[in-house]
Amino acid sequence: MSLPSGPHAGALRPRGGGLSARTADIGVTAAVTLLVVVWTLLTMQYASEPLNRTVTGWALIAVGCGALYFRRRAPVAVAVVTLAVCVVYYPLSVYDGPLMVTFALALYTAAAEGRFTAAVALGVVTLIAVGFGEARQHDGNRQIDDMSLFMLAGWLVSLVAVGRAQWTRSAYLGEVEQRALAAEREQEARAEQSATEERLRIARELHDVLGHSISLINVQSGAVLHKLSKNPEPAAALSAAEEALAAIKATSKDALRELRSTLGALRKPDETATTSPTSGLDRLDELLARARSTGIEVRLRTEGERRPLPPPVDLAAYRIVQESLTNVTRHARATGAVVTVDYTDERAVRVRIDDDGEGAPEGSPAGSGIRGMAERARAFGGELTARNTAEGFGVSARLPIEGTE
């Protein structure tokens, strides 16, 4: 596990509904100050010293206790100050107050805030200073015996060790929190990406459905208007109008069916979607019949043994043929087109649409319809090519089957 370090390592604490850091610092400082003051007042009943020493001692107590408020902002500096205060206070004052508690708390805080090296160094300096001072005393004047010195060493080690453990725990919880936040952000990003992809899919489906159907309706109505503009016999005019209206009715009915099927994805889970057959290559006859109603001779050719395809691939192949025929009726000025479905490759299905129209101007960029077809093919790991041919224009797509549900 990688643990953070640096000036703000201690800030990686779990955020909860407890007291703020400032309130906690004030509370701890007040509690330690109360302890030191009350204890010192009690010891003053059993000893006395000159007034100037007493005033100096209380000033040192104020400095040592007051510094604890800043122990998390500047842990090493506070530990140094409290240690210095203790070094001056105990030789100066005859009152054996618990001012050492301030240094103990500051040393623990330094370790708990990630200043492990500084905390160890201060603990070692303290132990060496106390041992050196006691060594200079005569045997009868020593304040701390060897056992007490050993216990002091254990006390300092325990403070640093507990502080280090607290820092490790805080750092671990902070890292867990950061990972949880990162996972939440990643989940939100994935959900947003999925929603965006779904919107694009629906937009592409609507473009294919509406673009194809409206284009056919436009061509069919334009053709009958052209016939009627030549003032044919009433019987011939009526027959042409009936034929065009029947084709328009069939085209619009199929468009509404596919539109309901596409928009069914937007329904709420508790809503019942209108059931309708999903478009696929088995509906090519209907698609080609609608294209023929515009006056273009469209033929279907199948290579290999026809077999069922995964629904996503089946729909993508159908949409590519649909968009290609839409382009033929709108732009190609063609008289005929051939749709070829090739099943000879066991790992993929191929569709080709060739027309005898004018083709695309050389150097012109691909239109949105061709880009949409290419995106469909790439979504399955396939490829699509669209280019001019010797007879007109051709679109060829390969859609892999393996790994597609």
Side-chain angles (χ1 to χ4, degrees):
M1 180 185 64
S2 175
L3 296 177
S5 60
H8 304 288
L12 291 176
R13 295 186 180 84
R15 297 180 179 89
L19 298 176
S20 64
R22 182 177 181 182
T23 304
D25 290 341
I26 293 175
V28 171
T29 301
V32 173
T33 301
L34 180 63
L35 172 65
V36 174
V37 169
V38 171
W39 195 313
T40 303
L41 290 175
L42 292 176
T43 59
M44 289 178 65
Q45 299 178 7
Y46 306 102
S48 61
E49 64 181 6
L51 181 60
N52 61 338
R53 287 193 175 187
T54 301
V55 173
T56 303
W58 282 110
L60 292 171
I61 289 175
V63 172
C65 293
L68 293 179
Y69 177 74
F70 305 97
R71 73 187 192 282
R72 281 196 280 201
R73 303 181 193 178
V76 177
V78 171
V80 172
V81 169
T82 54
L83 177 59
V85 166
C86 292
V87 169
V88 176
Y89 175 81
Y90 282 106
L92 176 68
S93 177
V94 298
Y95 307 127
D96 191 16
L99 188 59
M100 192 68 177
V101 173
T102 60
F103 172 66
L105 182 57
L107 186 66
Y108 161 81
T109 303
E113 292 294 320
R115 312 302 197 280
F116 183 68
T117 302
V120 171
L122 287 172
V124 172
V125 168
T126 301
L127 189 60
I128 292 175
V130 173
F132 179 75
E134 291 300 314
R136 296 183 60 185
Q137 302 290 333
H138 299 292
D139 292 340
N141 296 329
R142 291 186 61 181
Q143 301 293 323
I144 301 177
D145 57 19
D146 293 339
M147 180 57 68
S148 299
L149 190 62
F150 178 76
M151 293 179 63
L152 175 63
W155 183 58
L156 294 174
V157 170
S158 298
L159 287 173
V160 175
V162 172
R164 174 70 174 185
Q166 176 61 29
W167 176 79
T168 302
R169 178 178 178 274
S170 298
Y172 172 75
L173 292 177
E175 185 174 343
V176 169
E177 182 181 3
Q178 293 300 320
R179 288 181 177 177
L181 291 175
E184 183 178 355
R185 288 193 295 268
E186 183 179 359
Q187 184 177 4
E188 292 176 353
R190 287 181 178 178
E192 184 177 355
Q193 181 180 2
S194 298
T196 301
E197 292 176 352
E198 182 64 13
R199 286 194 295 269
L200 292 175
R201 185 192 69 80
I202 293 175
R204 187 165 54 236
E205 293 291 329
L206 292 177
H207 170 271
D208 291 348
V209 172
L210 296 179
H212 174 75
S213 301
I214 293 176
S215 295
L216 290 181
I217 291 174
N218 179 68
V219 173
Q220 290 160 351
S221 59
V224 73
L225 287 175
H226 178 71
K227 290 181 181 179
L228 295 177
S229 66
K230 296 181 178 181
N231 297 320
E233 294 294 328
L238 180 60
S239 176
E242 289 179 348
E243 182 181 351
L245 288 174
I248 290 173
K249 179 182 178 181
T251 301
S252 59
K253 180 180 178 180
D254 192 71
L256 289 174
R257 176 189 62 79
E258 294 202 43
L259 188 60
R260 285 195 297 268
S261 177
T262 301
L263 295 181
L266 301 179
R267 294 180 179 271
K268 295 180 180 179
D270 56 346
E271 291 182 339
T272 303
T274 303
T275 57
S276 58
T278 303
S279 297
L281 294 180
D282 58 337
R283 302 180 67 88
L284 278 183
D285 291 338
E286 301 175 15
L287 181 63
L288 270 58
R290 292 198 301 272
R292 293 188 189 105
S293 67
T294 64
I296 300 176
E297 181 62 31
V298 184
R299 294 182 293 113
L300 175 63
R301 185 169 62 187
T302 302
E303 297 180 358
E305 183 178 356
R306 185 173 179 177
R307 61 181 184 275
L309 301 174
V313 176
D314 199 18
L315 176 60
Y318 177 87
R319 293 296 187 212
I320 289 174
V321 175
Q322 183 183 55
E323 180 63 23
S324 298
L325 291 179
T326 300
N327 292 335
V328 171
T329 58
R330 291 178 61 185
H331 309 298
R333 296 184 180 180
T335 59
V338 178
V339 176
T340 304
V341 183
D342 185 356
Y343 294 97
T344 56
D345 188 348
E346 295 182 357
R347 295 177 297 179
V349 62
R350 295 176 182 271
V351 292
R352 296 196 310 274
I353 304 90
D354 300 291
D355 65 70
D356 58 1
E358 298 178 351
E362 293 296 335
S364 61
S368 60
I370 293 178
R371 290 197 299 269
M373 291 188 290
E375 289 175 1
R376 285 185 182 275
R378 286 195 296 268
F380 297 97
E383 63 275 345
L384 181 139
T385 58
R387 59 178 179 270
N388 291 330
T389 63
E391 293 79 14
F393 193 81
V395 175
S396 176
R398 179 183 180 275
L399 302 176
I401 298 176
E402 292 184 348
T404 305
E405 297 181 358

